[in-house]
Amino acid sequence: QVQLVQSGGGLVQAGDSLRLSCAASGRRFSSYAMGWFRQAPGKEREFVAALSWSGSSTYYADSVKGRFTVSRDNAKNTVYLQMNSLKPEDTAVYYCARHSDGSYANTASYDYWGQGSQVTVSS
């Protein structure tokens, strides 16, 4: 029974920053890679970012590279998504997930998901 609890969503203006948090209940948090996905209204869930189990390797979608940063604090069983220079196109529900196997960019590669955080960026 693994639970991922998200926090940090909200309503911001274009150009602002926001940080999402994802706290895991499991004791082997550091043994898993973690990912972030987002889903806008009427669109499919898409890959945003991921990081390796050690936190030494990160991966980003082209749409967010250079603006978003994924990190983790294993002592706190928490992963973060720092979002800078936010754009209206970033508006979506953001989900953290625990990686199981396969490609980081595929939703099927993850076995546990957070409840989602709404991020709304106004023009």
Side-chain angles (χ1 to χ4, degrees):
Q1 56 275 30
V2 176
Q3 186 176 18
L4 303 178
V5 180
Q6 299 179 217
S7 62
L11 173 63
V12 299
Q13 293 181 313
D16 285 353
S17 297
L18 204 62
R19 188 181 74 165
L20 303 181
S21 298
C22 176
S25 62
R27 294 184 177 182
R28 297 187 64 192
F29 173 77
S30 62
S31 299
Y32 296 90
M34 299 290 293
W36 289 93
F37 292 77
R38 67 186 182 186
Q39 188 166 23
K43 299 182 65 178
E44 296 183 355
R45 189 167 299 186
E46 65 175 351
F47 172 75
V48 175
L51 79 170
S52 64
W53 66 268
S54 66
S56 61
S57 299
T58 57
Y59 309 87
Y60 299 94
D62 290 340
S63 59
V64 306
K65 191 173 184 179
R67 299 187 297 119
F68 290 11
T69 302
V70 62
S71 62
R72 69 193 301 161
D73 185 339
N74 290 335
K76 296 182 178 180
N77 282 357
T78 302
V79 296
Y80 305 94
L81 184 67
Q82 178 67 46
M83 303 179 292
N84 298 328
S85 302
L86 283 163
K87 306 175 181 179
E89 304 91 90
D90 296 319
T91 296
V93 176
Y94 285 72
Y95 299 89
C96 68
R98 191 183 79 171
H99 183 257
S100 179
D101 52 34
S103 174
Y104 285 147
N106 294 332
T107 58
S109 299
Y110 298 80
D111 55 4
Y112 290 94
W113 294 79
Q115 82 278 17
S117 297
Q118 177 67 54
V119 174
T120 302
V121 185
S122 63
S123 302

